Amino acid sequence: MAAFIAENFRFLSLFFKSKDVMIFNGLVALGTVGSEELFSVMAFHCPCSPARNYIYGLAAIGVPALALFLIGVVWNNHTWNLVAECHKRGTKNFSAAATFLLFGSIMGRAAVAPVTWSVFSLLRGEAYICALSEFVQPASLDKFPAEYGAEALARFPCKDVPANLTKFRDEVTRRLKYESQLFGWLLIGIVAVLIFLTKCLKHCCSPLSYRQEAYWDQYRSNEDKLFRRTAEVHSRVLAAKNVKQFFGFVALDKEEKEMVQEFPVESAQPSPQWNAITGVYIYRENKGFPLYSRLHKWAKGVEGNGPSPEAHEMLFLAS
């Protein structure tokens, strides 16, 4: 029984490690759904006034989606790798395909939260009903009183309407909610098709076999984890050395003392080395051997980012 449980835990661990991007996107989507629900309950209040409903309804859908998109762009490491690449080397080494893949990766990941927000806003229908209720044509409503116009229709998202308009309010609300949910389901379908086509295109255009691409994913993940962990230790030991030089001693706990003794640090890495391992990476091979990252390329002593007789550029970006 214990062996069975251990084997299942091992399987789950491997699954989560291999699907980290998908799980991250799922968590982003779930967080966005929770935020949208909280916003609808606590913050959304339709003004029920002509000309204001439309602006408020569209702002309730569009402004949070825009903010989530910008946050997604800022949090994406590819964004800052692109900034570093343009600042240090320019984009002369980028082909059109590489540039398209890079921007597609940034925009695609940043779009997860705003698309989720928009979809659930449309499925709920409150913002859509608020925005478009005043534009419903009275002639499309059977026996709608002629003395009421756009101002009365603008109040339909609220419940304080004359008693003789209650049935019309229910009909307008039902009609607009149907339209809103239809657009929401269509958006889900369009996004699903785009994701499917993108995945197919990526695997069709990849110069790597499925197994090598899986290995590359594992390598990048392990390199990033080890680099971050080592950088934390290196910076702490270097800081301890500098503090000791300034004060004559440094107050370290037992674990930090062992760390300083085990990992002696002489100085910080020079800027050219940091620049060499920072920026957008395009998959390359050197004499038939793969180079999986800028750090890997630097460790092998390969210079430059463009094609050369000894280093063939495969035009495939790290995702």
Side-chain angles (χ1 to χ4, degrees):
M1 185 64 180
F4 176 78
I5 295 175
E7 193 65 29
N8 278 275
F9 272 116
R10 190 178 299 110
F11 169 78
L12 290 174
S13 174
L14 291 174
F15 175 83
F16 280 110
K17 286 180 180 179
S18 63
K19 304 293 183 181
D20 53 348
V21 174
M22 183 180 69
I23 292 171
F24 174 77
N25 290 340
L27 292 175
V28 169
L30 289 175
T32 305
V33 172
S35 301
E36 200 278 335
E37 289 288 336
L38 184 63
F39 175 82
S40 298
V41 172
M42 302 185 62
F44 184 83
H45 298 288
C46 185
C48 296
S49 175
R52 296 180 181 176
N53 284 12
Y54 184 70
I55 297 175
Y56 185 82
L58 292 183
I61 298 176
V63 173
L66 176 61
L68 290 170
F69 177 77
L70 294 177
I71 291 173
V73 172
V74 170
W75 278 358
N76 194 326
N77 290 334
H78 282 334
T79 302
W80 307 116
N81 283 335
L82 177 62
V83 172
E85 188 73 22
C86 293
H87 177 66
K88 296 295 182 183
R89 306 176 186 90
T91 58
K92 60 182 182 298
N93 294 321
F94 283 2
S95 66
T99 303
F100 175 78
L101 285 172
L102 176 62
F103 278 99
S105 174
I106 295 174
M107 300 302 169
R109 292 188 183 184
V112 173
V115 168
T116 303
W117 178 279
S118 301
V119 164
F120 276 87
S121 294
L122 290 171
L123 292 180
R124 287 182 63 90
E126 292 181 355
Y128 187 89
I129 293 171
C130 177
L132 297 181
S133 62
E134 63 182 287
F135 297 103
V136 175
Q137 295 296 325
S140 65
L141 301 173
D142 187 31
K143 298 180 181 179
F144 187 80
E147 62 270 20
Y148 295 104
E151 185 173 352
L153 291 169
R155 299 201 61 80
F156 277 11
C158 302
K159 299 191 183 209
D160 54 340
V161 296
N164 61 332
L165 296 182
T166 302
K167 66 175 183 178
F168 299 106
R169 183 180 74 85
D170 294 340
E171 182 181 349
V172 169
T173 301
R174 184 169 55 252
R175 183 187 303 179
L176 293 177
K177 192 162 189 177
Y178 152 76
E179 293 178 2
S180 179
Q181 291 185 342
L182 177 62
F183 289 138
W185 290 120
L186 287 176
L187 182 57
I188 291 176
I190 291 171
V191 171
V193 171
L194 288 176
I195 292 174
F196 172 75
L197 293 177
T198 301
K199 295 293 289 184
C200 291
L201 183 63
K202 176 185 175 183
H203 287 290
C204 288
C205 297
S206 172
L208 307 179
S209 66
Y210 176 77
R211 290 187 179 276
Q212 188 178 6
E213 190 172 341
Y215 178 85
W216 187 22
D217 289 337
Q218 293 175 346
Y219 173 85
R220 291 201 313 271
S221 176
N222 289 326
E223 182 189 82
D224 183 66
K225 291 176 184 176
L226 291 173
F227 188 90
R228 290 176 182 273
R229 192 186 308 164
T230 305
E232 181 182 358
V233 173
H234 187 280
S235 61
R236 185 176 299 184
V237 174
L238 181 61
K241 177 182 177 181
N242 294 335
V243 170
K244 182 177 181 180
Q245 184 174 353
F246 183 82
F247 286 106
F249 72 96
V250 58
L252 300 174
D253 57 29
K254 182 178 179 181
E255 181 181 352
E256 290 172 333
K257 288 180 181 178
E258 294 175 353
M259 185 185 301
V260 170
Q261 292 176 357
E262 184 177 358
F263 305 108
V265 174
E266 298 299 329
S267 62
Q269 273 61 37
S271 294
Q273 289 187 7
W274 286 104
N275 294 335
I277 67 169
T278 303
V280 177
Y281 181 68
I282 299 175
Y283 176 81
R284 299 176 62 199
E285 292 182 358
N286 184 32
K287 298 180 180 179
F289 290 93
L291 300 173
Y292 289 120
S293 68
R294 282 196 172 277
L295 181 61
H296 189 189
K297 186 178 72 171
W298 172 85
K300 291 296 183 180
V302 179
E303 298 293 336
N305 195 40
S308 66
E310 295 183 353
H312 180 61
E313 179 183 314
M314 303 298 290
L315 299 180
F316 191 63
L317 290 168
S319 60

